[in-house]
Amino acid sequence: MTSAAIYGCAGHRLTEGERAFFAETRPWGFILFRRNIDSPEQVRALTDELRAAIGDPEAPILIDQEGGRVQRMGPPHWPKYPPGDAYLKATNDPADARDLVRLGARLMAHDLREVGINIDLLPVLDVPVPGAHDIIGDRAYGRDPQTVALLGRAAAEGLLAGGVLPCIKHMPGHGRAFADTHKDLPTVHADLETLDAWDFAPFKALSDMPIGMTAHIVFSAIDPKRPATQSKRAIQLIRERLGFGGLLLSDDLVMNALSGSFTQRAHKALKAGCDVVIHWNGDMDEMRQVAEGVGPLKGGAKRRAEAALARIVRTPEPLDPVAGHERFFRAMAGKTDAAKGPDVGEAQA
C-alpha cells in the first residue's frame, strides 16, 4: 500500500539498499536535488529507476526548480532561469511580466517533463516584509500580495500547460519570518487581520491549485506552540480560511525548525493534517525513522492525491523550445522587441 511519504535518494543512481527500501515502503513519490543531477540522460534513467522500484510508471517525482538561487537543474545542460523578482525588473508592465513568467514556467516544464519529472515546487507565493530574513528575498515575485498572486498564477499556469503540476508554497506564508527555517524555528507575531490581508492573500487567490506546501513557522495568532506544519489549527486555517482543498505536503522534515526524532516529526505533521511528508536528503537511517511515523495514504489524503495527479495534462500545449528560450531571454535582458513576441506554441510539441 502506498505510504504518505516522499523520499530523496543519495546520488545519480539508486543503490540496492535504496531500491529495497522503496519497494518495501512504497512512498507516494520522490524528490530530486542537485546531488541527483548530472545529464539529461542520467536524470531520465534515475526517474525511471525510482518508478520501477515501486512498480508505478507514473509515480510523482518532484523538484525545486524556481530559478535563481533555487534551481536544481542548470547549466551546462539546462538554462539558468531568473529568480522571481527579476520579471518586474525586466519590464515595468505587469502584463508583460505575467507573460514572461508564464513563458519561463512553460519552458521549465518542458525541461522537467523531458527527464521524467512531473511536479515542480513552484510558485513561491510568500510576500516578504522589510527586514525579514532573505531566505525568501529575490525568490518572491513582488513585494505586495496582488503582484505575487498575479505572477504566481502565471507560473502555475505555465507549468500546468506543460504537463507539470505546480505546488504553491509556503502556506500560510513565509514572507514575515525573521529566521531561516533550515536553521531555526521562526515565530511570527502579526495579528490575524494583518496576516489575512497580506500573507494569506496570494494563497487565497490560488487556492484552486492542486498541491500546496506548509511552512515550518509558528504563527502566534494561530497556534503559539506549534509550527504550521505540525499544527491542527494552522492546517484547519489553510483548509477553511485560505480555502485550499488540494494535496498538502509538509516542507522538508530535515529542517532544524522542527524538533524530535524523524519518526516524531513525520507523525506530528500527518496527525496535524498534512497529507504527505517530505524527507529530502537520502539518508537511509533517517528515512527508516520517517517510515516508522508514516502510515498508508488513505481517506481524504488519498482522494486529494488522486485529484492532483488527474490534473497532469497528457498532451502539453505546443512549444518550440528553441524559439521560446530565445524570446524569453531576450525579453529578460530588456530587449523590448521580444517582450510581446509571437506565440511560441506554433511550432512543435
Side-chain angles (χ1 to χ4, degrees), residues 35-259:
R35 67 178 181 273
N36 306 122
I37 307 299
D38 180 22
S39 67
E41 295 77 18
Q42 170 269 322
V43 179
R44 182 80 226 196
L46 177 58
T47 57
D48 287 345
E49 280 188 323
L50 288 165
R51 291 185 168 113
I54 60 172
D56 183 354
E58 298 184 349
I61 298 182
L62 296 73
I63 197 167
D64 281 292
Q65 189 77 348
E66 298 175 12
R69 290 178 287 148
V70 182
Q71 179 170 335
R72 313 308 184 194
M73 292 165 45
H77 298 291
W78 299 276
K80 179 65 176 174
Y81 290 99
D85 78 346
Y87 292 93
L88 277 175
K89 292 177 180 177
T91 171
N92 290 323
D93 185 337
D96 284 349
R98 180 192 60 204
D99 292 344
L100 282 174
V101 170
R102 188 188 191 282
L103 175 57
R106 175 66 185 88
L107 291 165
M108 283 192 277
H110 172 79
D111 299 341
L112 300 180
R113 189 180 173 91
E114 287 283 290
V115 295
I117 297 168
N118 54 9
I119 299 176
D120 191 2
L121 300 176
L122 181 78
V124 175
L125 296 186
D126 306 307
V127 190
V129 300
H133 193 282
D134 67 359
I135 187 62
I136 299 300
D138 66 357
R139 297 165 66 189
Y141 289 110
R143 292 298 184 268
D144 66 86
Q146 294 75 23
T147 299
V148 170
L150 175 73
L151 301 187
R153 179 165 290 281
E157 290 175 352
L159 291 173
L160 286 166
V164 171
L165 294 181
C167 173
I168 58 175
K169 61 185 186 183
H170 306 81
M171 304 176 83
H174 206 302
R176 206 174 289 273
F178 286 82
D180 179 356
T181 51
H182 295 84
K183 301 176 181 178
D184 299 292
L185 175 60
T187 297
V188 169
H189 295 289
D191 60 69
L192 202 57
E193 183 178 352
T194 299
L195 292 169
D196 192 68
W198 190 268
D199 306 68
F200 301 168
F203 294 102
K204 288 182 177 181
L206 275 80
S207 62
D208 58 320
M209 288 296 122
I211 306 175
M213 175 182 283
T214 61
H216 296 337
I217 296 174
V218 172
F219 294 85
S220 60
I222 303 170
D223 185 340
K225 296 181 179 180
R226 301 168 188 82
T229 298
Q230 297 176 336
S231 167
K232 288 184 179 180
R233 294 180 193 171
I235 291 176
Q236 183 179 14
L237 177 141
I238 288 169
R239 293 298 190 194
E240 296 178 1
R241 191 161 190 151
L242 275 59
F244 180 69
L247 184 72
L248 190 61
L249 312 180
S250 78
D251 204 346
D252 173 29
L253 295 179
V254 175
M255 292 181 181
N256 289 331
L258 302 184
S259 59

Side-chain angles (χ1 to χ4, degrees), residues 250-306:
S250 78
D251 204 346
D252 173 29
L253 295 179
V254 175
M255 292 181 181
N256 289 331
L258 302 184
S259 59
S261 71
F262 287 98
T263 300
Q264 292 169 331
R265 295 181 191 195
H267 177 72
K268 287 179 181 178
L270 293 170
K271 185 177 180 181
C274 287
D275 294 322
V276 179
V277 295
I278 296 178
H279 181 277
W280 73 273
N281 68 11
D283 183 293
M284 187 60 72
D285 290 337
E286 292 180 5
M287 289 195 293
R288 289 195 179 99
Q289 289 183 51
V290 171
E292 291 177 6
V294 171
L297 186 67
K298 61 183 181 180
K302 182 179 180 182
R303 289 191 294 273
R304 287 185 287 270
E306 291 171 347

